[in-house]
Amino acid sequence: MTAKPNAFSQYPDAQGRFGEFGGRYVAETLMPNILALEKAYEDAKADPAFTAEFEDFLKHYVGRPSPLYFAERLTDHFGGAQIWLKRDELNHTGAHKINNCLGQVLLAKRMGKTRIIAETGAGQHGVATATIAARFGLPCEVFMGATDVERQAPNVFRMKLLGAKVHAVKSGRGTLKDAMNEALRDWVTYPDETFYVIGTVAGPHPYPMMVRDFQSVIGREAREQMLERIGRLPDAAVACIGGGSNAMGLFHPFLEDENVRLIGVEAAGKGLDTPDHAASLNGGEPGILHGNRTYLLQDEGGQIVEGHSISAGLDYPGIGPEHAFLHDVKRAEYVSATDDEALEMFQLCSKLEGIIPALEPAHALARVRDLAVELDPDGVILMNMCGRGDKDVPQVARMLGVEV
Amino acid sequence: MNRLATTFARLKADNRAGFVTYIMAGDGETAELLDRLPAAGADVIELGMPFTDPMADGPSIQGAALRALDNGMTLKGTLALARAFRENHPDTPLVLMGYANPVHHMGYGAFARAAADAGVDGLICVDLPPEEDTELREALAAENISIIRLATPTTNNDRLKTVAEGSSGFVYYVSTTGVTGMGKGAATDVADAVKRVQTATGLPVAVGFGVRTPEEAAEIASGGADAVVVGSAIVSANHDGGTKTALELVRSISAAVRAAS
């Protein structure tokens, strides 16, 4: 099957814009850095040696390609369309995050940067960055909200074990967005030697494009694997969305396949009709934060509001600008799932498939359930299982009233 | 000619550097402090618009922003403070400084009209580099409000042209890579940079970020800057000791700046 050319995959433009979203909203101190990064990335992308090294490490270090798995028992249980899982939870470090960290750290090395920094919420991106930094012998500092440091002690220890320095960010409210503010402050202070590894498809241009490109290995593999296994493309590709890096990585190679529905699942927390959710597209408005124009959770005065989700990986108050664009031009659909639904799917997937999903993809599974019923049994759904649930076991046990 | 141009022309005629004071709207007794700043020696006033995510600011101004928000300060409230100030002070330029999102949320056109109505002379939007400020700049220009851009040690001569294009009032030279209140760049570097920015932009240059004491301000003033900006130190003084303490600091810095140039 040949992809039908359309305009959706041609973005961003030269200004880093996806339609009216994206851009480079940073302080002047960082502008020269952002422009240099963009140029270095374009050069690297055009260099076969860079791509070869990236692919070699993806294969032998990360463990790609990740399998495409037919979830037969979930399919039977939901009683509708076939459910296929892209197993990115089997990657080294247990999530899709490492694909991007590998790409960015290789770029940092190529640019002669001597110091890696990253922000992290639950700690998955921090662990993945610390892992790759360790592999390449680069010092790594991770900014993590003080509240999260307390809640995610095992990941903090993992990062330290990997040789990273973890800064507990007390400024603001001590959450993921404050960690990102602090990482930006650090970058502004040490712009020459530092490479900032952003963990999602957000931030100033070229980050949304660059992170998407590195994560697109997910969708490229899945597209090929689908054709190889069942000789057709899926009817829908589904992924959970916080900042949106796993979803963008899955969606991008399918953008020109207009018969493939692309469905992103945001975190509805305690419900979209409550203040406690993290659904930027379904419950936010366009605004400017962390270097890009996108949908944001904000109040009537334009102040940023904290997101809430059972999943620390989804409670960011913004979303990648390319998702904002795909939402507005209606190429992708954005729905949501609540904390309770995610908790239910976490248990169901564990019992039926022997796969303990992270709470993030458990959100996606809740909408896969509806979609399976909506499509007829000939239908095919592809879902990215973007992370494994080991990290969530203590939290879920607590919520279920079990002592571990 | 707006008040900024008039003020910098007067400073030039007096052959001295100006003193720009920054305070955060809604942190402490802002209305009273604003009202008394000109008499204490402020030539230009920057009024901070609080934002939840002040990513270019150090701890002093971050703390001030969160306190202001906790006190219920909003962008509309900030504009009301500006308007009240303008009623009693027809000549002192007032510049709003902050981040793009609250302004974007109000709408660039609506903001420009409201700011003009409140007697605001300029806007510094930290996270709107020249590449992204066209729409806002045009809306402000229609109301004769200057967009004031930042130049930093990382801004090379090519970029300085970009920075100069379309900006007016003055250029804010950030004397060090880093966030507000962190400590200033070496004096000789700053003096050289000021000359470079003046030549490339043809605009007055105000130097800030990390200037905290009368001595440091005097050093910048005697190094050829058109003005010295002090923010974090005044914000801290205001938080620690209230309006009286903040005004004492302003008076001592003002005296040092006047003596130096």
Side-chain angles (χ1 to χ4, degrees):
Chain A
M1 192 180 292
T2 347
K4 183 183 162 196
N6 63 27
F8 296 125
S9 62
Q10 305 307 311
Y11 292 86
D13 65 17
Q15 273 64 52
R17 293 197 170 266
F18 303 88
E20 54 181 289
F21 300 102
R24 305 180 184 99
Y25 295 86
V26 295
E28 178 58 31
T29 316
L30 287 180
M31 272 313 286
N33 260 38
I34 297 285
L35 297 172
L37 176 63
E38 184 186 344
K39 184 166 184 318
Y41 176 58
E42 293 295 341
D43 288 351
K45 211 161 49 167
D47 179 358
F50 180 81
T51 307
E53 192 179 14
F54 179 55
E55 285 174 356
D56 188 71
F57 274 97
L58 279 180
K59 183 172 177 190
H60 301 293
Y61 189 73
V62 175
R64 302 205 73 94
S66 66
L68 178 71
Y69 165 73
F70 175 49
E72 193 179 355
R73 298 197 68 213
L74 272 175
T75 302
D76 287 349
H77 184 80
F78 293 152
Q82 291 180 16
I83 297 162
W84 291 76
L85 300 177
K86 177 65 174 159
R87 302 285 307 276
D88 254 55
E89 99 279 11
L90 294 176
N91 292 337
H92 182 36
T93 70
H96 70 289
K97 290 286 182 191
I98 197 163
N99 302 326
N100 165 50
C101 297
L102 173 63
Q104 289 198 49
V105 171
L106 285 175
L107 185 60
K109 209 165 61 97
R110 189 183 162 95
M111 292 173 74
K113 299 286 181 181
T114 54
R115 175 174 179 264
I116 300 293
I117 62 168
E119 86 293 339
T120 197
Q124 294 307 104
H125 173 61
V127 167
T129 307
T131 298
I132 299 291
R135 170 58 187 79
F136 290 99
L138 287 167
C140 176
E141 296 182 33
V142 179
F143 295 88
M144 188 171 183
T147 322
D148 290 332
V149 167
E150 235 166 80
R151 284 190 299 204
Q152 309 285 341
N155 270 344
V156 175
F157 181 67
R158 263 179 211 121
M159 287 185 266
K160 288 182 178 166
L161 208 54
L162 292 158
K165 186 172 173 191
V166 180
H167 297 277
V169 176
K170 295 188 187 75
S171 64
R173 314 293 182 205
T175 61
L176 173 58
K177 77 176 174 68
D178 301 302
M180 195 150 177
N181 291 333
E182 207 58 30
L184 284 164
R185 289 181 190 120
D186 180 281
W187 197 21
V188 151
T189 310
Y190 308 102
D192 292 338
E193 60 271 48
T194 304
F195 192 104
Y196 179 17
V197 178
I198 292 183
T200 191
V201 285
H205 179 65
Y207 282 100
M209 169 181 78
M210 182 168 73
V211 176
R212 171 200 77 196
D213 291 350
F214 291 139
Q215 290 294 4
S216 288
V217 65
I218 300 170
R220 274 199 310 278
E221 284 176 7
R223 193 175 184 282
E224 265 173 43
Q225 287 166 324
M226 287 252 89
L227 291 174
E228 194 183 297
R229 297 281 294 280
I230 59 168
R232 59 168 285 203
L233 295 177
D235 297 295
V238 185
C240 62
I241 298 202
S245 70
N246 99 82
M248 212 53 245
L250 180 70
F251 291 175
H252 197 258
F254 290 102
L255 282 181
E256 298 185 353
D257 300 309
E258 287 179 6
N259 292 326
V260 179
R261 286 169 66 185
L262 304 174
I263 301 171
V265 183
E266 295 191 297
K270 293 174 183 161
L272 292 182
D273 53 349
T274 74
D276 297 325
H277 64 78
S280 314
L281 284 175
N282 286 295
E285 293 171 82
I288 295 163
L289 181 71
H290 292 153
N292 63 112
R293 183 174 189 276
T294 188
Y295 279 79
L296 300 172
L297 300 178
Q298 52 187 314
D299 68 14
E300 67 284 351
Q303 302 296 338
I304 306 304
V305 174
E306 296 283 344
H308 163 83
S309 168
I310 188 176
S311 149
L314 300 182
D315 67 0
Y316 179 66
I319 186 166
E322 191 164 9
H323 286 299
F325 168 67
L326 294 174
H327 171 261
D328 275 17
V329 299
K330 297 186 164 52
R331 173 62 189 96
E333 304 158 49
Y334 294 88
V335 293
S336 65
T338 63
D339 288 351
D340 287 346
E341 289 178 308
L343 203 53
E344 184 192 345
M345 291 299 124
F346 183 91
Q347 298 169 79
L348 186 72
C349 186
S350 301
K351 281 195 181 117
L352 289 181
E353 294 291 350
I355 296 171
I356 302 176
L359 281 169
E360 290 83 359
H363 285 75
L365 212 43
R367 295 292 73 83
V368 164
R369 172 181 56 188
D370 303 345
L371 195 61
V373 177
E374 181 194 324
L375 296 172
D376 58 53
D378 298 338
V380 174
I381 300 167
L382 166 66
M383 187 195 115
N384 191 27
M385 182 58 75
C386 62
R388 62 173 178 244
D390 310 40
K391 69 178 174 68
D392 298 317
V393 167
Q395 184 194 356
V396 170
R398 264 198 313 279
M399 300 195 72
L400 298 177
V402 181
E403 279 204 34
V404 283
Chain B
M1 224 188 213
N2 72 12
R3 290 179 200 92
L4 281 168
T6 313
T7 298
F8 278 102
R10 179 174 53 76
L11 288 167
K12 201 176 170 70
D14 293 352
N15 197 26
R16 72 169 178 95
F19 178 30
V20 182
T21 57
Y22 172 100
I23 62 169
M24 176 65 73
D27 180 37
E29 304 298 325
T30 322
E32 188 200 341
L33 182 55
L34 266 179
D35 193 47
R36 297 176 64 183
L37 279 172
D43 296 302
V44 177
I45 295 170
E46 286 176 7
L47 183 59
M49 307 178 284
F51 182 49
T52 39
D53 294 81
M55 56 219 138
D57 285 301
S60 303
I61 294 179
Q62 286 172 38
L66 291 184
R67 287 193 298 273
L69 292 171
D70 287 344
N71 291 339
M73 185 46 64
T74 60
L75 181 52
K76 281 184 181 157
T78 306
L79 288 163
L81 283 167
R83 180 203 299 272
F85 171 83
R86 186 54 74 217
E87 278 170 14
N88 295 325
H89 303 274
D91 300 324
T92 306
L94 186 74
V95 172
L96 297 180
M97 180 166 181
Y99 296 83
N101 198 56
V103 175
H104 177 273
H105 195 78
M106 181 179 278
Y108 291 155
F111 171 80
R113 287 188 294 277
D117 195 47
V120 168
D121 303 290
L123 174 72
I124 303 171
C125 215
V126 178
D127 52 351
L128 272 191
E131 282 81 352
E132 304 291 356
D133 73 9
T134 312
E135 196 185 336
L136 177 58
R137 192 177 74 230
E138 285 167 2
L140 293 174
E143 304 291 344
N144 194 27
I145 296 175
S146 300
I147 195 142
I148 291 147
R149 297 227 183 95
L150 304 177
T152 74
T154 61
T155 312
N156 64 26
N157 288 338
D158 273 355
R159 263 201 81 70
L160 274 177
K161 285 179 208 138
T162 312
V163 167
E165 214 168 306
S167 72
S168 58
F170 62 94
V171 174
Y172 190 133
Y173 182 70
V174 176
S175 67
T176 173
T177 56
V179 294
T180 52
M182 271 201 20
K184 64 182 181 61
T188 47
D189 295 352
V190 174
D192 289 349
V194 164
K195 224 167 285 163
R196 190 164 69 87
V197 179
Q198 284 165 333
T199 310
T201 65
L203 288 167
V205 174
V207 176
F209 274 49
V211 187
R212 301 191 68 93
T213 63
E215 295 73 30
E216 289 168 353
E219 196 174 82
I220 300 282
S222 57
D226 298 286
V228 185
V229 190
V230 179
S232 298
I234 298 173
V235 166
S236 297
N238 185 41
H239 179 53
D240 297 342
T243 305
K244 187 168 168 286
T245 311
L247 289 169
E248 274 164 22
L249 180 66
V250 169
R251 275 189 285 268
S252 67
I253 297 175
S254 167
V257 169
R258 279 160 203 262
S261 41

